[in-house]
Amino acid sequence: MEHNHSHINDIRLGNAFKTWLFLKGKRHDLNIRSAFVHFVADALVSMGVVVAGIVIMFTGMTWIDSAVSFIIIAVILYSSYHLLIDSVNLALDAVPENVNLQSVKQYLESIPEVLNVHDLHIWALSTTDAALTVHLSTLIQTDTAFITTIQIQLHEQFGIDHSTIQVEYGNKIEEGEYICN
């Protein structure tokens, strides 16, 4: 009997550790969040069966089983809906939820050498990595250190690890627009 009790404690400790791991990474990783929702759904089902069983045992109200099942279904559908929306956004190359496009544009426009920012595109490469491409117009010649500094700032401020920056030097303004080459 003591051996079984120890085994149950090991399972509880293992489940607590798994929960902690999922909670740690669930905010930014769609795969971890999906696994977390699955893990929580399993726990809800188990808890629902126990609660419904106890209520039925003491009251004889068998409809409780169906009611608990519908509550569990509602929670799972609600959680799954958000996963579906995030998955579709990832598949459609939408701007990642944790990146603010306007803030990135404002940062790029604030760089003293930059006169114009255009063709700015940000998309998710995976559930944790984002990419950026942009054209920056300058009237001052720049070098690779200029681009590297911007890439470092994009990583540190916005979590964008993959960026391609095209610098267009000396472009003329035509009717309020920069010529993009």
Side-chain angles (χ1 to χ4, degrees):
M1 188 72 154
E2 185 63 35
H3 177 69
N4 284 343
H5 184 68
S6 172
H7 182 65
I8 289 170
N9 285 337
D10 289 345
I11 292 171
R12 285 184 191 149
L13 184 60
N15 285 342
F17 181 69
K18 276 194 296 190
T19 302
W20 176 78
L21 284 176
F22 283 130
L23 284 172
K24 186 176 176 188
K26 83 177 185 86
R27 176 150 177 85
H28 299 293
D29 190 321
L30 184 62
N31 294 321
I32 292 175
R33 217 168 57 214
S34 177
F36 180 77
V37 167
H38 181 85
F39 180 69
V40 168
D42 284 348
L44 279 174
V45 169
S46 297
M47 187 175 70
V49 166
V50 170
V51 169
I54 290 170
V55 170
I56 291 169
M57 186 172 71
F58 286 111
T59 66
M61 297 186 300
T62 57
W63 61 267
I64 290 292
D65 185 40
S66 297
V68 168
S69 296
F70 282 116
I71 292 169
I72 292 169
I73 289 169
V75 170
I76 292 171
L77 285 176
Y78 177 79
S79 300
S80 299
Y81 171 77
H82 293 289
L83 287 172
L84 176 65
I85 295 301
D86 291 345
S87 297
V88 169
N89 284 338
L90 181 62
L92 295 177
D93 290 335
V95 176
E97 187 178 282
N98 62 326
V99 177
N100 184 318
L101 180 67
Q102 279 308 111
S103 295
V104 172
K105 186 172 185 186
Q106 287 171 352
Y107 159 70
L108 294 170
E109 290 172 338
S110 74
I111 298 169
E113 297 87 349
V114 174
L115 297 173
N116 180 269
V117 175
H118 55 278
D119 291 336
L120 173 60
H121 305 281
I122 303 172
W123 69 97
L125 292 174
S126 69
T127 60
T128 57
D129 292 325
L132 168 144
T133 60
V134 67
H135 295 202
L136 303 177
S137 297
T138 69
L139 290 177
I140 301 167
Q141 264 190 323
T142 58
D143 57 11
T144 55
F146 173 74
I147 293 172
T148 301
T149 301
I150 294 170
Q151 289 173 322
I152 290 168
Q153 289 302 310
L154 288 170
H155 167 73
E156 290 177 359
Q157 290 184 40
F158 306 103
I160 299 171
D161 294 327
H162 307 277
S163 55
T164 303
I165 301 166
Q166 178 176 325
V167 177
E168 299 165 348
Y169 165 68
N171 291 338
K172 304 243 189 271
I173 299 175
E174 278 186 17
E175 296 178 27
E177 296 282 330
Y178 285 85
I179 298 172
C180 182
N181 40 353

